[in-house]
Amino acid sequence: MHHALWQSVLGEIELTVPHATFTTWFKNTELVDQNDAGIIISVPNIFAKKQFEVKYNDLIKTTLAKNNIIPKQINYIITTTNRNSRSNRETTVNTNQQTVTSADDLISRATTNTQTQATPNAIGGLNPRYTFDNFIVGSSNDLAYTASRAVAANPGVKYNPIYLYGGVGLGKTHLMQAIGNEILRNNPKKKVTYISSETFVKEFLDYVRFKKKGFSDKYRDVDVLIVDDMQFIAGKEKTQEEFFHTFNHLHQNNKQIIISSDKPPKSIPTLTERLRSRFEMGMTIDIQLPDFETRCAILSIKASLSGVTLGQDTVEYLATNIKTNIRELEGALNRLLAYAEMRGVDPDITTAEGLLGNIRHSRPQHISSKQIIDRTAKHFQLEVSEICSEKRDKYIVVPRQIAMYLLRSELHLSFPKIANELGRKDHTTAIHSIEKIEKAIKLDFLIREQVASIREKLYA
């Protein structure tokens, strides 16, 4: 009975929250008990418990009420298992369902993989440690993750080519190699090759210079070709021509092509039009900066993989102060854990503040409303007075709406405060503007790129 009720609740919640939110927080929960005193819900870890108590408790209450259940209180408990037995409770992932594992299961698999693969056996240039199981999904990479799983399940059929782009350290390489590793896991006979565009350029030059044989066959006689950092092929006309023919051969034979870059095809200078059009013919997806919840989840799981449980305040301190990319986030965590181990101290917030205090000196300690408005105006080559004016020209309205969105997302200001900062009297204008940009980010590449660019410059 508990199971049926909870499945009904989860079904309704899945329709009201983003896919990444549901799979990351709700999917691995259970209704443990229901009585007159209230109900008990199990969650996988301490961070999830905090999220439910603070952020999602009202949503669960409302959904339960729709199912005629009005509990006096809701208690969240952590389902824990002895560390030594973790490897015995792995969960199989169905690639067709595109599921996301819980933090505990993810830790279990990563630990098991580390034990069985002490020495990585790179096949076709792939690193076996890059898998979907240890990729943290958030709102910033949800679409890329889902599309990548679809490609891994049906290579050469769905989304061909798939083109991932975004700033450094956001997980593009991880996702690309995860596709390759998943394809090999499903069919070990598949020929998968991973290279960087720099390697492709170098090998092509050697082929031209020294008349080396077999260059074309090497990249055309594969089932899956994965090319990282495609932006480096820009300006190299002969190399682009060779890749054009390679691309055509693979695509016409239904072979999967996976590409990554730091920018979308149309923004790569001196990229030939025929390559640009082919890159855009499949699925082009951007990966944005990870949001706060995703950064916290990454820190908690990475620390757990090292056998350490970080306190909530320590996790939030690191996630608040490092917003640029995942590599820097992991680097800060590694420094903290290494220092704590050497000194024999706990990696708590005091240690983190002392050791990583220079992080705050390398970027603004506190982003102010003025900085956000100034940076937005500068990005659109406007005067601050124009953004804050009563003008309703489109070239001013959109930047003003983006500034309001950033004031809300970065500073969590109230709607009346946001309206006041932009010279508006009615806070409903702020509500409308923020909702409009939130929707536009999901559908409009240009708006998404503009917001990401301004945000990166704020924390650069």
Side-chain angles (χ1 to χ4, degrees):
M1 181 178 177
H2 293 337
H3 178 75
L5 169 62
W6 191 238
Q7 289 306 306
S8 175
V9 169
L10 291 180
E12 292 189 39
I13 291 176
E14 188 173 9
L15 298 175
T16 60
V17 301
H19 175 69
T21 300
F22 180 81
T23 53
T24 301
W25 304 115
F26 290 90
K27 190 171 184 63
N28 296 291
T29 60
E30 291 182 15
L31 177 57
V32 177
D33 191 22
Q34 175 189 357
N35 52 49
D36 294 338
I39 68 172
I40 299 175
I41 298 171
S42 73
V43 297
N45 53 61
I46 183 64
F47 187 66
K49 182 174 185 290
K50 182 72 172 178
Q51 285 289 101
F52 279 100
E53 289 174 343
V54 174
K55 190 171 182 179
Y56 299 122
N57 195 59
D58 290 342
L59 174 61
I60 288 178
K61 278 185 177 179
T62 302
T63 311
L64 284 169
K66 291 180 181 179
N67 287 270
N68 299 317
I69 303 296
I70 305 177
K72 292 182 179 179
Q73 63 179 10
I74 302 176
N75 292 315
Y76 301 95
I77 62 170
I78 301 169
T79 303
T80 57
T81 305
N82 185 287
R83 182 182 294 271
N84 295 329
S85 65
R86 277 178 177 160
S87 60
N88 295 325
R89 51 185 189 82
E90 296 183 16
T91 303
T92 301
V93 176
N94 184 328
T95 56
N96 294 324
Q97 293 178 339
Q98 302 174 354
T99 58
V100 179
T101 56
S102 71
D104 277 354
D105 284 334
L106 190 153
I107 293 165
S108 170
R109 293 182 185 198
T111 303
T112 303
N113 287 340
T114 301
Q115 293 168 349
T116 58
Q117 297 173 351
T119 304
N121 180 25
I123 300 174
L126 296 173
N127 185 333
R129 292 179 182 172
Y130 286 134
T131 68
F132 288 123
D133 290 342
N134 55 23
F135 185 83
I136 312 301
V137 183
S139 59
S140 61
N141 56 28
D142 175 36
L143 179 59
Y145 172 85
T146 304
S148 295
R149 294 221 67 140
V151 168
N154 298 285
V157 178
K158 207 166 190 180
Y159 310 139
N160 193 21
I162 181 170
Y163 185 106
L164 306 175
Y165 67 92
V168 298
L170 298 184
K172 301 187 299 296
T173 299
H174 188 144
L175 264 184
M176 295 171 73
Q177 296 208 33
I179 296 173
N181 284 320
E182 186 71 9
I183 290 172
L184 286 175
R185 190 181 72 82
N186 295 333
N187 188 348
K189 293 182 179 180
K190 289 283 188 180
K191 296 179 69 174
V192 179
T193 296
Y194 166 86
I195 59 164
S196 66
S197 65
E198 187 177 11
T199 300
F200 187 89
V201 171
K202 181 179 180 300
E203 291 186 4
F204 177 70
L205 290 177
D206 288 344
Y207 160 72
V208 173
R209 251 185 238 164
F210 307 114
K211 307 299 179 184
K212 289 186 175 181
K213 296 181 180 180
F215 174 79
S216 297
D217 293 339
K218 177 180 179 180
Y219 295 112
R220 296 180 192 181
D221 187 26
V222 297
D223 296 304
V224 181
L225 179 62
I226 306 172
V227 185
D228 211 347
D229 294 324
M230 181 54 74
Q231 69 271 12
F232 293 122
I233 205 173
K236 301 173 176 64
E237 294 181 9
K238 292 295 183 181
T239 307
Q240 289 190 49
E241 182 178 350
E242 175 62 28
F243 189 79
F244 169 78
H245 294 304
T246 299
F247 183 103
N248 280 348
H249 176 84
L250 293 173
H251 195 271
Q252 288 171 6
N253 288 280
N254 297 319
K255 306 301 183 182
Q256 181 66 49
I257 304 164
I258 305 167
I259 299 169
S260 83
S261 175
D262 63 354
K263 51 178 69 73
K266 65 181 179 182
S267 298
I268 298 179
T270 65
L271 182 67
T272 61
E273 187 59 38
R274 60 183 182 177
L275 267 185
R276 180 179 291 110
S277 65
R278 278 160 177 76
F279 291 166
E280 293 177 339
M281 68 191 288
M283 183 72 156
T284 304
I285 311 170
D286 67 327
I287 300 178
Q288 302 173 46
L289 293 173
D291 55 29
F292 176 75
E293 287 83 1
T294 305
R295 297 196 300 274
C296 286
I298 290 170
L299 287 166
S300 296
I301 291 170
K302 293 292 183 182
S304 297
L305 289 173
S306 300
V308 176
T309 300
L310 287 181
Q312 183 70 18
D313 54 352
T314 308
V315 170
E316 292 185 356
Y317 169 78
L318 294 173
T320 299
N321 285 279
I322 303 176
K323 303 181 180 181
T324 50
N325 64 63
I326 298 169
R327 286 178 193 158
E328 187 179 354
L329 192 68
E330 291 183 359
L333 174 64
N334 290 336
R335 286 172 60 193
L336 173 61
L337 297 182
Y339 178 87
E341 184 177 357
M342 286 189 299
R343 301 285 180 174
V345 298
D346 292 329
D348 55 19
I349 188 170
T350 303
T351 306
E353 287 175 341
L355 182 63
L356 305 175
N358 60 323
I359 292 173
R360 286 184 168 177
H361 298 300
S362 65
R363 58 175 56 87
Q365 293 188 20
H366 176 70
I367 300 297
S368 66
S369 301
K370 183 178 184 303
Q371 285 174 303
I372 289 177
I373 297 170
D374 288 350
R375 176 54 67 182
T376 304
K378 187 176 181 180
H379 180 85
F380 289 99
Q381 299 180 335
L382 295 171
E383 297 294 330
V384 172
S385 58
E386 290 182 284
I387 286 186
C388 297
S389 70
E390 295 292 331
K391 293 181 180 179
R392 298 195 57 79
D393 302 83
K394 186 175 181 180
Y395 76 94
I396 295 176
V397 170
V398 173
R400 182 186 296 141
Q401 291 173 335
I402 288 176
M404 289 183 174
Y405 170 80
L406 289 170
L407 288 171
R408 181 69 172 178
S409 65
E410 302 308 301
L411 302 184
H412 308 291
L413 297 184
S414 65
F415 293 118
K417 177 67 174 173
I418 292 172
N420 184 61
E421 291 288 346
L422 273 299
R424 318 246 85 63
K425 296 179 181 179
D426 187 358
H427 73 276
T428 58
T429 302
I431 296 174
H432 169 74
S433 298
I434 292 165
E435 289 179 347
K436 186 172 182 178
I437 298 301
E438 285 176 344
K439 291 178 182 177
I441 283 175
K442 298 177 181 178
L443 304 173
D444 189 326
F445 156 73
L446 181 59
I447 294 291
R448 196 159 57 239
E449 189 177 51
Q450 289 168 338
V451 170
S453 178
I454 296 170
R455 185 180 277 133
E456 284 183 14
K457 290 174 183 175
L458 281 170
Y459 296 107

